[in-house]
Amino acid sequence: MSLTKNKAVNEWVNEMAAMTKPDGIVWIDGSEAQLGALRKESLATGEITALDPEKLPGCFLHRSAVNDVARVEHKTFICSRREEDAGPTNNWTAPDEMYAKLRKLYGGCMKGRTMYVIPFSMAVPESPFAKFGVELTDSIYVVLNMAIMTRTGIRVLKCLDSSASPSDFTRGLHSKAGIDEENRYIAHFPEDNTIWSINSGYGGNALLGKKCLALRIASYIGRKEGWMAEHMLILGIENPNGEIRYLAAAFPSACGKTNLAMLIPPEAYRKKGYKIWCVGDDIAWLRVGSDGRLWAVNPEAGFFGVAPGTNMKSNPNALLSCRKNSIFTNVVHNLDDNTVWWEGLDKTPPKNALNWKGEKWDCTDGSKGAHPNSRFTAPASQCPCISGEFETPQGVPLSALVFGGRRARTAPLVYQSRDWDHGVFVGSIMASETTAAASGAVGVVRRDPMAMLPFCGYHMGDYFAHWLDMGKRIPNPPKIFNVNWFRTDGKGNFIWPGYGENMRVLEWIIKRAFGEAGAVESPIGRLPEPGDINREGLDLPLQTLKELLTVDRDLWREEAKEIRAFYSKFGDKLPSKLNDELARLEKNLA
Ligand code: GTP
Ligand code: SPV
Ligand code: MN
């Protein structure tokens, strides 16, 4: 039975049900009782496994299909009416054509299954910035994940119904169908506020609130409404005076957002009273506040974090966040104590265990037990360092924006842009080695502007223009920086210790933002002198820090050539200001 009198919602649900033909329809009300019943059902079918109730209370293990373990960028489409509105970096198909193709695939695909109707909100539903969605899905796993990652249920329907336009919600249709890779599609129709996803049950392909709504659709809406949807973590740095300053940082998938968002400062900092507060680990919605600053809201309610490499040393707060009420996907099942394991959790892989595919796993045979893109889904409220501002509707004011990626050699540890426009240039030229978060080759350097290459819902050239335009509308804009934790030596080892030690770089960034730290000019922007980065309690020679902060002109000349080639994709949609910035970089390097 429908939970709402909202005509637009009911008509659409009925229309989709007529196409997909489920045996029944269940509305998700957001109650613990209903979720409990769904977990029971999911346990009975083997879709999820209950983990040890003492060690991991309320936690479950799920294994996705072996062919369905990451986002599929080559199957992700922006179906705007005009091809040029999707731009050169997105796959495009005309909406009519895509709807027609997918209607065939959806036809009767839920026969023998239940359709779950998930009313959800990105951001606190009572917030004026919230965006509402309804996801229809035939996967209980998706329901259970959405219940952690978003606010769901009757509370959301009430807010939608009493909003200025109750028919204004994102229409998300999802079906696992046959998990058929060939016919897997993640299609967005920005002008219809609609997402159709079929033949995947995993992560960003299936949890439609996350990348599909909160980034692709929201970036499109944000451009129209004068705000920005970004692939950014948000954190607060509390200094010994008790003052908290905020920054947001965009790194590509599996490049360190969750880790940075909840880092524990090194002992030397903790003793002085420094602390990091986590506001968000993946997505930020940015708006100009009435005070002239840029304010950030995390639209999500949970973390969908990378498991491998997460341990009590690298990211204790992430580990503590997923000790209860969490879902683990594609990790190792330790059969001895009914817990989970992944590479990098500790040095003692379980002897009696199943790998992520559910096969008996011999940890000595050299194979990986957990999938490199295996993940935990955990409520953000369980994070020991969750910010007191996590749920405040207006979010937090930003003093700095940070871009970063995986670069073995070119990018220095950190540098600052000269001003907003140069900062937009720095974001637009981001490049990073690909990771397991998306299907395809891993470790290949590609341009990934603002870490949004796979997530921008419209023409990237227009997106750059929107960034430049926003700069004009923020009287007191955050300062813009670039970081790189991933420089390697000749043997491929990371030079910078990273993780908690990144605090040392954050300190320089946030002090720079307030004019409290020094810097020197370089061809690419402003760099700290090696002595400007605090090395107290860090076993790292000054010489190594110098190396981390060098700008190799030959490498950068090559880089400038690649940027020029990349920019040429955008034709006359490339804002002339970015061309000017590139010309200036080339001149500085000459
Ligand atoms: P998505 O959830 O895909 O958006 O990823 P993310 O950006 O949140 O990345 P995450 O923090 O989960 O880190 C991904 C991988 O990078 C993990 O294996 C981490 O261990 C590793 N990593 C994170 N921070 C650092 C760092 O400072 N140095 C090094 N060397 N590795 C890091
Ligand atoms: C990413 O790939 O950036 C993620 C995971 O955060 S997913 O939800 O699959 O997009
Ligand atoms: Mn992400």
Side-chain angles (χ1 to χ4, degrees), residues 228 286-288 292-296 396-398 401 470 474 476 478:
M228 305 195 280
L286 311 177
R287 285 183 179 77
V288 188
R293 292 185 291 178
L294 189 65
W295 289 69
V396 295
L398 299 179
L401 291 176
M470 286 294 294
I474 318 170
N476 187 6

Side-chain angles (χ1 to χ4, degrees), residues 253-259 282 306 308 375 406 486 494 498-499 502:
S253 302
C255 289
K257 287 184 301 301
T258 301
N259 277 269
D282 198 50
V306 175
R375 301 221 170 212
R406 286 179 188 261
F486 299 95
F494 295 121
Y499 301 100
N502 293 334

Side-chain angles (χ1 to χ4, degrees), residues 71 203-205 210-211 231 253-254 257 282 304 375 437 455:
R71 285 182 294 101
N205 299 333
K210 197 173 178 58
K211 295 313 200 310
H231 192 199
S253 302
K257 287 184 301 301
D282 198 50
F304 185 61
R375 301 221 170 212
F455 308 120

Side-chain angles (χ1 to χ4, degrees), residues 173-190:
L173 174 62
H174 168 253
S175 175
K176 293 179 291 188
I179 314 283
D180 165 15
E181 239 178 315
E182 292 298 305
N183 286 310
R184 185 169 297 157
Y185 289 95
I186 321 298
H188 306 69
F189 306 87

